[in-house]
Amino acid sequence: MKKFNKKSDEQKKQELEELAKRFEEGIKAYIHSDRFKELLTNLSKFHTYSIRNSFLIAFQNPKATYVTTYPKWKSLNRQVKKGEKGIQIFVPIKRTVEMETEENVLDADGQIVCDAEGNPLKRKEVKNYIKYKIGYVYDISQTSQIEGKEEKELEPCKELTGSIKNFDEFMGNIAKISPVPVSFEDIQSGAKGYYSDMEKKIVIQSGMSDTQTIKTSIHELAHSLLHEGKTGTELSRSTKELQAESVAFIVCQHYGIDTSDYTFGYVGSWMEDEEQILQNLEIIKMCSSNIIDKLDTLMA
């Protein structure tokens, strides 16, 4: 984190405008980039699993994110690690059977057609049915990149690394300005953090890098400030995520923390269209300014 220097209101306003512009340009550049196109192409190779199979996957591996078969992982230049146990799912198998009906076979004149022994021939029809067998899939965490092969883009966000000077003080100040308690847990879903409007709390995944922890904490803080009580249809999920991650980007940039590798991919994967950024910029700047003012006061 860069050395803290308190800025005037005019300087802050100008900085917010510049950071918002940099954010907008960065997102647009990302979603038109070859990396984003490659990511979408690669992700299209993953199956959409039924509700029953989704429950099975979550039960066996709660942290699973990208799941596919052994051969598909090979096609993505990844090898299932030795000793890894497959996740069981139900695999549908289509079967076709020809069945005799009760209807007689009629000729062109409408007369019943009989076999050589004089028995009326019955009309047959083909019926399709599905049976299931047990199949196995593997999560990306159970695989590793095949050495010497091209690495495929699979994650829209790159995990942030790096330490932050005065991390404990910075994290403590975030907790102080939060309208709800902030705690650390091992989140079983694999999420990096969440804000619970029902329980009025923010939970952050423990054990992450300083940079990822600060970025995630500000993201969830933005949710608590902007989306408290908005569990209905006032805002779409994509708009909420765009707003929260955009605020995290601007606030972090203000303190010299670059989250581009994570933010651009995250927002790009949630965006409905490019106009969505422009429609939410004022709200993003207002919330960012609010957080920065409060943090600056504590840090001063």
Side-chain angles (χ1 to χ4, degrees):
M1 188 172 71
K2 68 183 180 183
K3 185 178 179 181
F4 176 73
N5 291 306
K6 191 168 178 62
K7 298 179 179 179
S8 67
D9 290 343
E10 187 57 37
Q11 286 175 317
K12 283 184 183 179
K13 183 179 178 182
Q14 184 179 349
E15 181 193 41
L16 278 175
E17 292 292 336
E18 291 172 354
L19 289 176
K21 188 67 177 174
R22 190 189 309 174
F23 167 77
E24 181 188 349
E25 291 172 351
I27 292 295
K28 288 183 177 180
Y30 175 80
I31 62 175
H32 291 294
S33 69
D34 290 337
R35 180 189 165 197
F36 190 57
K37 291 172 188 172
E38 182 187 347
L39 173 71
L40 295 180
T41 299
N42 292 334
L43 292 184
S44 69
K45 297 179 182 178
F46 290 87
H47 295 292
T48 300
Y49 292 98
S50 66
I51 293 176
R52 181 166 62 168
N53 276 335
S54 295
F55 277 123
L56 276 174
I57 292 167
F59 178 75
Q60 295 169 78
N61 187 343
K63 293 187 177 182
T65 51
Y66 296 112
V67 172
T68 194
T69 61
Y70 188 100
K72 279 287 179 67
W73 279 126
K74 292 272 284 192
S75 73
L76 291 166
N77 295 338
R78 298 189 70 85
Q79 177 68 51
V80 174
K81 299 173 187 174
K82 188 175 181 180
E84 288 289 347
K85 187 178 179 182
I87 301 169
Q88 291 186 331
I89 61 169
F90 290 112
V91 180
I93 303 172
K94 290 183 180 180
R95 291 282 186 260
T96 301
V97 63
E98 191 176 61
M99 302 181 68
E100 194 174 77
T101 69
E102 293 299 315
E103 297 180 31
N104 294 319
V105 177
L106 304 177
D107 62 18
D109 297 323
Q111 301 300 308
I112 296 174
V113 178
C114 297
D115 60 21
E117 297 176 356
N119 299 313
L121 291 175
K122 299 296 182 181
R123 190 176 65 81
K124 294 181 180 181
E125 66 178 25
V126 174
K127 287 196 173 182
N128 297 316
Y129 70 97
I130 295 176
K131 62 182 296 185
Y132 292 88
K133 70 173 184 177
I134 296 295
Y136 294 89
V137 291
Y138 300 84
D139 182 54
I140 188 172
S141 63
Q142 298 176 283
T143 70
S144 59
Q145 173 66 29
I146 298 175
E147 193 174 343
K149 293 271 191 176
E150 177 193 359
E151 188 169 350
K152 303 282 188 177
E153 284 284 354
L154 293 172
E155 302 270 10
C157 316
K158 293 188 177 180
E159 180 90 12
L160 298 173
T161 58
S163 59
I164 294 176
K165 188 179 180 181
N166 301 327
F167 167 78
D168 290 336
E169 179 189 357
F170 199 175
M171 194 64 223
N173 288 337
I174 291 173
K176 284 178 184 177
I177 69 172
S178 173
V180 297
V182 179
S183 63
F184 289 87
E185 293 178 14
D186 181 17
I187 303 173
Q188 291 301 305
S189 68
K192 299 190 185 304
Y194 66 86
Y195 160 64
S196 172
D197 194 30
M198 184 177 294
E199 299 177 74
K200 302 300 179 193
K201 67 177 183 178
I202 287 172
V203 177
I204 305 300
Q205 172 64 40
S206 58
M208 298 190 297
S209 71
D210 291 356
T211 304
Q212 186 68 56
T213 299
I214 292 295
K215 198 285 308 175
T216 302
S217 299
I218 296 172
H219 175 108
E220 302 308 335
L221 173 62
H223 274 309
S224 71
L225 295 172
L226 290 172
H227 309 138
E228 188 271 330
K230 296 184 179 179
T231 54
T233 58
E234 297 97 329
L235 292 173
S236 67
R237 175 78 188 279
S238 67
T239 296
K240 288 180 180 180
E241 293 305 322
L242 183 147
Q243 289 178 349
E245 189 63 20
S246 306
V247 169
F249 173 84
I250 290 174
V251 174
C252 284
Q253 286 285 337
H254 172 77
Y255 294 107
I257 303 168
D258 186 11
T259 67
S260 303
D261 280 348
Y262 192 96
T263 295
F264 294 162
Y266 187 89
V267 173
S269 65
W270 278 105
M271 269 180 57
E272 294 169 357
D273 56 63
E274 292 184 28
E275 289 302 309
Q276 205 174 7
I277 299 176
L278 295 174
Q279 292 164 0
N280 288 278
L281 270 183
E282 289 309 312
I283 292 173
I284 292 165
K285 287 190 287 186
M286 178 189 69
C287 186
S288 301
S289 180
N290 180 22
I291 293 173
I292 288 170
D293 283 345
K294 289 178 179 178
L295 286 176
D296 277 0
T297 300
L298 290 173
M299 295 173 80

